[in-house]
Amino acid sequence: MASNIVWHDHKITRAERSANKNQKPCLLWFTGLSGSGKSTIANALDVALHERGYHTFLLDGDNVRHGLCNDLGFSDEDRVENIRRVGEVCKLFADAGLIVMSAFISPFTSDRRMVRKLFPAGEFIEVFMDAPLETCESRDPKGLYKKARAGEIRHFTGIDSPYEVPAHPEIRLDTSCHSVDDCVESVIAYLLERELIARNA
């Protein structure tokens, strides 16, 4: 980091921005294997919250790699940098008062912990998509597991690169036995319980 930079405080505070939107900012961090339902559930939740009048933003792993992280590959080092950048962007959106959702495999515990530390206590919500590898591989929506098994893709999470299962996620969802609607309702129930959204919205 350059030594000749100084933090500039904004006149409008984080609390004022969120109060203006009548909501509490937070980050719902969807993590899990490819095909576990991260993007599907995050998108459905985004729609459900939007319909209730909340201000949200969704960051998706593939989409981010088309722009912000298009210079990164899939080595362990590049995966760490990918998550670091995404975490900082999520923090900016939360500072703007938004409810943020991110859908990233984010296989390493240390990376998820790094992002958690950017947020005040209670605002980082780890959503572990706990679908079995067999289920994810049977779906194979992008054909990536087939390529990984054939050796055409290297460092593929769940095949030849590890996924470190969250020890204590705030929310655990298994899309192999629960519907999209059920998963969305589980997340909304958590947000209501923690008073991050209001029952009358």
Side-chain angles (χ1 to χ4, degrees), residues 146-166:
K146 184 177 180 180
K147 290 181 179 180
R149 291 290 188 189
E152 297 174 24
I153 300 177
R154 299 194 59 191
H155 308 296
F156 191 78
T157 302
I159 304 301
D160 61 346
S161 186
Y163 178 81
E164 298 174 357
V165 173

Side-chain angles (χ1 to χ4, degrees), residues 164-182:
E164 298 174 357
V165 173
H168 303 288
E170 279 75 13
I171 301 173
R172 185 184 301 266
L173 303 173
D174 184 352
T175 54
S176 70
C177 57
H178 293 98
S179 69
V180 172
D181 288 344
D182 287 344

Side-chain angles (χ1 to χ4, degrees), residues 2-76:
S3 59
N4 58 341
I5 57 175
V6 178
W7 184 266
H8 184 81
D9 290 323
H10 297 289
K11 291 186 177 180
I12 305 298
T13 67
R14 186 179 195 271
E16 289 170 331
R17 292 183 192 281
S18 59
N20 197 42
K21 295 176 176 63
N22 195 31
Q23 63 185 43
K24 295 180 181 178
C26 63
L27 168 59
L28 290 143
W29 187 273
F30 289 81
T31 176
L33 296 172
S34 178
S36 61
K38 299 181 299 299
S39 295
T40 298
I41 303 304
N43 268 285
L45 177 65
D46 195 24
V47 170
L49 291 173
H50 178 77
E51 289 176 345
R52 287 167 169 77
Y54 291 105
H55 300 260
T56 63
F57 197 83
L58 170 59
L59 289 158
D60 184 84
D62 280 359
N63 292 358
V64 167
R65 282 184 175 273
H66 277 87
L68 178 67
C69 298
N70 68 0
D71 59 326
L72 299 177
F74 290 91
S75 67
D76 287 355

Side-chain angles (χ1 to χ4, degrees), residues 36-138:
S36 61
K38 299 181 299 299
S39 295
T40 298
I41 303 304
N43 268 285
L45 177 65
D46 195 24
V47 170
L49 291 173
H50 178 77
E51 289 176 345
R52 287 167 169 77
Y54 291 105
H55 300 260
T56 63
F57 197 83
L58 170 59
L59 289 158
D60 184 84
D62 280 359
N63 292 358
V64 167
R65 282 184 175 273
H66 277 87
L68 178 67
C69 298
N70 68 0
D71 59 326
L72 299 177
F74 290 91
S75 67
D76 287 355
E77 294 77 13
D78 281 359
R79 286 176 183 270
V80 172
E81 175 59 14
N82 183 57
I83 296 304
R84 188 197 69 80
R85 293 183 193 180
V86 169
E88 292 289 349
V89 171
C90 288
K91 181 178 182 296
L92 290 173
F93 279 125
D95 285 346
L98 301 181
I99 296 171
V100 190
M101 285 148 283
S102 72
F104 292 81
I105 292 174
S106 49
F108 304 127
T109 300
S110 58
D111 294 348
R112 301 191 298 264
R113 186 183 303 120
M114 171 181 63
V115 178
R116 183 184 290 271
K117 288 180 178 179
L118 296 174
F119 289 80
E123 285 191 14
F124 179 92
I125 302 161
E126 190 172 44
V127 185
F128 174 36
M129 304 304 296
D130 190 13
L133 173 61
E134 294 76 15
T135 298
C136 298
E137 192 166 357
S138 68

